[in-house]
Amino acid sequence: MVFGLGKKKKFEFKCSSIGMNCGFEVRNASSEEELLEILKLHADKAHKMTSIPSDVIEKIKQNIQKK
């Protein structure tokens, strides 16, 4: 019997993990791409950022948790 096959990783991120004074969290995103799309919407609505700078995207990617 094999356990764990087919179990998909979930992607999580907290804005505070990159030093933002923000309590927003993404949990259970199905992919890194989905997580980044959610963060783009959050950045626009909550922080009035029309785009996320590439250096911040890299920090985000370095701090994504895969569970």
Side-chain angles (χ1 to χ4, degrees), residues 29-50:
S30 61
S31 67
E32 186 175 290
E33 292 77 20
E34 179 186 21
L35 185 142
L36 291 172
E37 287 302 314
I38 293 167
L39 287 177
K40 288 176 186 175
L41 293 171
H42 168 70
D44 182 40
K45 299 294 181 198
H47 303 293
K48 308 297 184 223
M49 297 172 68
T50 56

Side-chain angles (χ1 to χ4, degrees), residues 8-66:
K8 295 183 179 183
K9 291 203 181 269
K10 297 295 182 180
F11 296 78
E12 300 182 354
F13 176 79
K14 297 178 184 179
C15 288
S16 61
S17 68
I18 61 167
M20 300 288 290
N21 185 17
C22 177
F24 186 77
E25 298 180 18
V26 177
R27 293 185 181 174
N28 297 320
S30 61
S31 67
E32 186 175 290
E33 292 77 20
E34 179 186 21
L35 185 142
L36 291 172
E37 287 302 314
I38 293 167
L39 287 177
K40 288 176 186 175
L41 293 171
H42 168 70
D44 182 40
K45 299 294 181 198
H47 303 293
K48 308 297 184 223
M49 297 172 68
T50 56
S51 66
I52 302 175
S54 59
D55 62 319
V56 176
I57 293 283
E58 287 307 311
K59 285 182 186 178
I60 291 168
K61 287 181 178 183
Q62 292 170 0
N63 286 279
I64 292 173
Q65 300 292 315
K66 296 174 188 141

